[in-house]
Amino acid sequence: MAIAKTAIAPMKAAQIPKPGADFEIVEREIPNPTAGQVRIKVQACGVCHSDVLTKEGAWPGIQYPRVPGHEVAGFIDELGAGVTTWKKGQRVGVGWHGGQDNTCISCRRGDFRNCRNLKIPGISYDGGYQQYMVAPVEALVAIPESLSDVEAAPLLCAGITTFNALRHSGALPSDLVAVQGIGGLGHLGIQFANKFGYKVAAIGRGPENAALAKKLGASVYIDSKATNAAAELQKLGGAQVIMATAPSSKAMSELIDGLAPNGKFIVIGATFEPIEVAPVQLIVGSKSIQGWAAGTPTDSEDTLQFAELTGVRPMIETYPLEKAAEGYERMLSGKAQFRVVLTM
Ligand SMILES: [Zn+2]
Ligand SMILES: [Zn+2]
């Protein structure tokens, strides 16, 4: 005889119980959105190197257990009170920018990307390594029709970061732009740089990725193991922009001399080690070094629409949510080709 169930059906989530601990697959109640929030039925979530911050407790103030994930794609399944501009069933994503406070000095200046109290999914609240999540409306990104969930998810952190850093870099069509590192970030950076009309030099360690880099849109491939990459860039006239994506401060330090006069070195590969540069390296030729972090949800929408328009797509390996730990290890190994995406 069937027994009536009145409780809300539980859902599966991959959570980190405490800093440094392994992933746990747990059953949880499906969360309900409060005022100004929506509930998302998650379809895909990218695994980003920054998920290390949640896994290892390297970001201050994380409350555990915590569900990581800030490359979320799915559809709205429930609206919280007061939400009028988004619809049930609408396809949405959530990226690194998980909501701003609208009151700090940066927000008052309209610089939401640099909100002093920026919320980050998977850090400030539970992210996308689960079947349902809630997010504030200011974090939502509309996903265009022609992009699938697994394609859209990596564009919401890896994609927007490279797209936004490049489009604000000051490089003009035909300028030499170097992308260091051919991985989760770099393989997207090469594609965007090519579609922006730059002459793209891809820099990788070893010859393995040469053919792929060219296929993605690089016109030059530089093997930094076999050659001095900075000198190779100088032979080409120097790079107007070098976007450093591989998280190696040593590799970054070695590349700075590849800049052209007035060139800009953009750091997006996150490490805690110092970059070494002598003041004179920057003074001669008025060169600069700049960091760049993701962008707002409307920047993400620009990224997705540009990808839709130009055919830029992430290369992905998918893992089911139950194998989140395996997918995370694969990302950490650096062997993934190129972005690991969990599917629910
Ligand atoms: Zn990320
Ligand atoms: Zn703010």
Side-chain angles (χ1 to χ4, degrees), residues 6-7 23 34 62 64 81 98 122 164 214 236 295 298 300 317-318:
T6 50
F23 280 95
T34 59
I62 301 180
Y64 290 86
N164 224 16
K214 295 236 168 116
L236 299 167
T298 50
S300 281
E317 294 180 3
T318 60

Side-chain angles (χ1 to χ4, degrees), residues 71-73 91 143-144 147-157 304 314:
E71 290 187 348
V72 188
R91 294 181 66 216
I143 298 179
L147 290 180
S148 70
D149 295 307
V150 291
E151 287 172 334
L155 293 173
L156 297 170
C157 181
L304 296 179

Side-chain angles (χ1 to χ4, degrees), residues 129-274:
Y129 287 28
Q130 54 182 343
Q131 291 176 310
Y132 294 85
M133 72 174 277
V134 292
V137 287
E138 62 268 22
L140 298 180
V141 175
I143 298 179
E145 206 50 52
S146 71
L147 290 180
S148 70
D149 295 307
V150 291
E151 287 172 334
L155 293 173
L156 297 170
C157 181
I160 183 191
T161 301
T162 51
F163 174 85
N164 224 16
L166 284 172
R167 73 169 173 171
H168 289 102
S169 71
L172 296 172
S174 86
D175 280 348
L176 179 65
V177 169
V179 178
Q180 173 256 6
I182 299 157
L185 289 161
H187 89 289
L188 288 164
I190 293 168
Q191 294 180 67
F192 284 126
N194 170 255
K195 297 296 182 188
F196 286 1
Y198 306 145
K199 180 178 180 182
V200 185
I203 301 170
R205 288 193 73 72
E208 305 87 75
N209 284 324
L212 177 67
K214 295 236 168 116
K215 206 175 125 204
L216 293 171
S219 53
V220 182
Y221 180 79
I222 298 171
D223 175 354
S224 63
K225 231 187 215 168
T227 60
N228 177 332
E232 292 302 309
L233 289 175
Q234 286 303 338
K235 282 183 200 165
L236 299 167
Q240 206 53 51
V241 165
I242 299 174
M243 184 166 72
T245 74
S248 162
S249 303
K250 186 171 174 287
M252 291 183 196
S253 305
E254 289 167 2
L255 259 187
I256 291 167
D257 282 338
L259 288 172
N262 303 306
K264 191 187 274 184
F265 194 89
I266 303 180
V267 179
I268 59 173
T271 77
F272 290 94
E273 305 302 319

Side-chain angles (χ1 to χ4, degrees), residues 4 43 67 69 90 106 131 133 153 192-193 226 236 258 282 286 300 326:
Q43 301 292 97
V67 176
Q90 186 172 357
S106 295
Q131 291 176 310
M133 72 174 277
F192 284 126
L236 299 167
L282 301 177
S286 305
S300 281
E326 214 176 293

